[in-house]
Amino acid sequence: MKVLVLNCGSSSIKYKLYDDDQQLADGLLEKIGTAQAQLNHTIAGRKKVVSVHEVLEHQAGIELILRALVDPEKGVLASMEDIQAVGHRVVHGAESFSESTLITPEVLAKIEECIDIAPLHNPPNLAGIYAITNLLPKVPQIAVFDTAFHQTMPDKAFMYAIPYVFYARNHIRKYGFHGTSHCFVAHEAATMLGKPIDELKLITCHLGNGSSIAAVDQGKSVDTSMGFTPLEGLPMGTRCGDIDPAVPLYIMGKEELNLQQINALLNKHSGVLGISGISNDFRTLEEESAKGDRRATLALEVYCYRLKKYIGSYVAAMNGADAIVFTGGIGENSDVVREMVVKDMEFLGIELDIDKNRARKRGEAADISKPSSRVKVLVIPTNEELVIARDTRRIVSET
Ligand code: AMP
């Protein structure tokens, strides 16, 4: 089955076209809303083609992508009718969705209701769904939610200690994100370990520009670091992560900042960028740290120390762990971060093999722990789009 996977952000659209599990094409359209939108389009096994267009909104962007897919030279489909289903990444499904689902008018209405608690993320996801409804009206569409995997968290893990009325009335609770990735790498880890997932306790670390960690017990998420929004938890590229809630209130008073300004400060100017004052890119931070920049080093230390503490807390929450899994741009590629996080954790049965960690090849899954390590340390490349394509195929075949 040919499935188009769409991940629509506020000014960008990522896409991958699959035939069953085989990737036929992928690409990224950036700077939507301008006359300088850039389309990077790659057919599997061929060179990337880059082109610049005026793309003022998402539907025009998706039309451009569809045209690229059927282009006689740079395309891969004979006709748009070859697309049998479209899978959408939808960031927030709140408590309405604990699994991927066929998009019906009722489902659409519920995704729209979630705009209230995901004002930045759900609107572009919805724009993608509406665009496909207009452009490919007969094609079934499936929503795959970032939050769904974490709906198995018990209430003691998701409840905030604020008056209960805010949960009951305003749905304020921990939701968690990156669920597709945590779910994917947890299952891959079970395969690597040669055990059924329902016999495993796993700690999955999705470390990218946005970072989160999850405790996965018997295949179910029982806790995760992101919260009501993706701002909670680990410090990230530009997001502050866990912080004393009194701090923003104090800064707002001192600096006379309004809500929008403090929101931007915590989401866009904090994290490792805020501490280092240099960059949110871990490659740059590692380079500057190696040259002796103290604040770049401090940013890396804060990030890794917080991650280490989360791992310890999830070992406690699950009464053990069989493996720690690293994924995401940083988790997959930074041996420096992995070493800083898991070294000196022998007390918990975690023994890193430093040589294997450094030698691990890009793009490959690897066990980087010593044979004696009670808790395995794994690096597993994530593939959220493949999960979306598989869920889409399964749901369309069942309906
Ligand atoms: P993601 O959001 O998963 O695409 O990850 C983006 C992050 O991965 C950025 O902060 C990158 O700097 C980081 N990253 C990518 N490659 C490397 C690398 N070789 N070493 C360290 N960080 C990396």
Side-chain angles (χ1 to χ4, degrees):
M1 183 185 293
K2 291 198 175 69
V3 171
L4 177 65
V5 173
L6 291 177
N7 179 355
C8 296
S10 57
S11 64
S12 70
I13 302 173
K14 278 193 211 154
Y15 61 95
K16 280 192 186 175
L17 179 71
Y18 286 92
D19 188 2
D20 293 337
D21 270 1
Q22 189 195 349
Q23 189 180 310
L24 301 180
D26 73 323
L28 171 66
L29 177 65
E30 288 177 294
K31 298 191 195 161
I32 295 173
T34 74
Q36 299 295 318
Q38 184 171 312
L39 179 66
N40 296 307
H41 177 73
T42 312
I43 300 293
R46 290 201 234 151
K47 268 197 181 157
K48 176 163 79 179
V49 180
V50 181
S51 52
V52 175
H53 312 258
E54 178 176 272
V55 179
L56 298 182
E57 36 72 44
H58 283 76
Q59 180 157 325
I62 291 179
E63 218 173 332
L64 184 72
I65 291 166
L66 293 174
R67 269 194 271 119
L69 291 171
V70 298
D71 186 280
E73 276 169 32
K74 61 181 179 183
V76 72
L77 295 175
S79 128
M80 289 185 201
E81 270 145 38
D82 289 350
I83 298 172
Q84 291 160 284
V86 178
H88 294 269
R89 174 189 184 213
V90 178
V91 170
H92 219 310
E95 290 183 327
S96 299
F97 300 103
S98 54
E99 49 194 35
S100 306
T101 182
L102 179 73
I103 299 175
T104 61
E106 295 74 35
V107 167
L108 257 184
K110 283 192 177 156
I111 299 174
E112 285 191 353
E113 276 173 27
C114 297
I115 291 179
D116 187 39
I117 52 176
L120 299 179
H121 294 102
N122 276 27
N125 302 158
L126 279 162
I129 296 171
Y130 290 129
I132 292 292
T133 309
N134 292 333
L135 298 166
L136 303 172
K138 292 191 191 130
V139 173
Q141 301 188 67
I142 306 299
V144 180
F145 300 92
D146 263 32
T147 47
F149 181 60
H150 300 301
Q151 278 297 301
T152 45
M153 276 189 289
D155 49 8
K156 67 180 175 193
F158 72 64
M159 191 63 63
Y160 291 124
I162 57 174
Y164 192 86
V165 64
F166 291 105
Y167 169 61
R169 191 180 60 199
N170 303 99
H171 314 289
I172 295 175
R173 49 158 283 181
K174 179 187 277 285
Y175 288 102
F177 298 87
H178 293 143
T180 327
S181 177
H182 288 293
C183 177
F184 178 77
V185 297
H187 281 89
E188 291 286 300
T191 307
M192 273 177 86
L193 297 170
K195 283 200 175 162
I197 194 153
D198 53 15
E199 287 177 15
L200 291 170
K201 296 175 185 201
L202 301 167
I203 298 175
T204 51
C205 310
H206 178 106
L207 312 180
N209 215 5
S211 295
S212 70
I213 175 166
V216 183
D217 197 353
Q218 302 182 5
K220 293 194 167 62
S221 172
V222 293
D223 206 345
T224 191
S225 58
M226 281 180 169
F228 178 60
T229 73
L231 188 57
E232 189 184 345
L234 299 166
M236 310 179 206
T238 62
R239 296 181 209 145
C240 62
D242 297 335
I243 190 174
D244 180 341
V247 170
L249 303 178
Y250 181 82
I251 297 177
M252 284 174 87
K254 275 273 169 204
E255 304 289 328
E256 297 183 10
L257 301 187
N258 62 28
L259 276 177
Q260 246 179 341
Q261 289 167 317
I262 195 75
N263 200 26
L265 186 143
L266 300 174
N267 275 289
K268 300 202 168 125
H269 305 287
S270 298
V272 292
L273 170 68
I275 296 174
S276 69
I278 299 174
S279 176
N280 63 332
D281 192 314
F282 276 64
R283 284 164 291 203
T284 312
L285 293 177
E286 286 173 21
E287 277 164 27
E288 293 307 313
S289 169
K291 284 188 220 155
D293 187 287
R294 177 60 201 140
R295 276 171 55 190
T297 306
L298 180 62
L300 291 171
E301 285 174 352
V302 169
Y303 183 85
C304 295
Y305 177 65
R306 296 268 203 97
L307 188 47
K308 185 190 277 285
K309 288 203 298 182
Y310 261 108
I311 291 173
S313 71
Y314 286 173
V315 171
M318 292 194 289
N319 190 19
D322 295 291
I324 297 164
V325 184
F326 285 96
T327 194
I330 302 159
E332 287 169 36
N333 299 310
S334 175
D335 57 288
V336 173
V337 167
R338 292 193 301 258
E339 189 172 324
M340 285 172 76
V341 173
V342 293
K343 77 172 180 200
D344 302 330
M345 291 184 95
E346 290 81 8
F347 177 76
L348 293 181
I350 304 167
E351 295 175 68
L352 181 73
D353 183 321
I354 292 188
D355 294 333
K356 279 195 209 159
N357 180 41
R358 292 188 186 159
R360 184 247 163 203
K361 289 201 187 72
R362 206 182 164 89
E364 278 180 12
D367 178 346
I368 55 167
S369 46
K370 290 186 179 159
S372 55
S373 188
R374 270 192 290 118
V375 181
K376 294 293 162 200
V377 184
L378 308 175
V379 184
I380 302 181
T382 195
N383 196 339
E384 289 158 281
E385 293 82 5
L386 184 60
V387 177
I388 297 175
R390 285 177 178 167
D391 274 14
T392 301
R393 229 161 55 212
R394 176 179 52 77
I395 292 168
V396 170
S397 310
E398 285 168 4
T399 43

